[in-house]
Amino acid sequence: TLAFEKESIMKSLKKTTFIEAVAAAIAHEVKCFEFYLKLSEELPEGQVRELFSQLALDGDEHIKFIKDVYKSA
């Protein structure tokens, strides 16, 4: 059931180390960055393309921020 899956995920998260969390966060941001960049390259000029281009740029900034947090920890 969904409740069991949520409980299982929460237990797994509680056992996650800092480095595992950082790695997962970076992996997630890279995946999002690649998705947004691909879409922005495929869309015609316009506001929607600009939106996905900005989302890709934001993702790149998120990756840099996560790396900075890791280095300063």
Side-chain angles (χ1 to χ4, degrees):
T1 66
L2 185 58
F4 175 76
E5 289 177 22
K6 183 178 177 186
E7 184 178 324
S8 178
I9 290 170
M10 292 307 293
K11 285 182 182 178
S12 294
L13 288 175
K14 290 177 183 177
K15 295 178 183 176
T16 301
T17 65
F18 175 70
I19 190 72
E20 290 170 333
V22 169
I26 290 173
H28 173 76
E29 290 295 339
V30 167
K31 187 174 181 179
C32 291
F33 170 80
E34 291 171 347
F35 174 76
Y36 295 140
L37 184 62
K38 183 177 186 286
L39 276 178
S40 71
E41 291 171 345
E42 294 173 354
L43 289 167
E45 292 291 329
Q47 288 184 329
V48 176
R49 182 179 184 162
E50 289 176 26
L51 169 67
F52 284 99
S53 293
Q54 185 59 52
L55 289 170
L57 288 172
D58 292 347
D60 189 46
E61 289 300 315
H62 295 168
I63 292 166
K64 290 175 187 172
F65 176 73
I66 295 166
K67 288 179 179 180
D68 289 344
V69 168
Y70 172 71
K71 289 176 186 176
S72 67

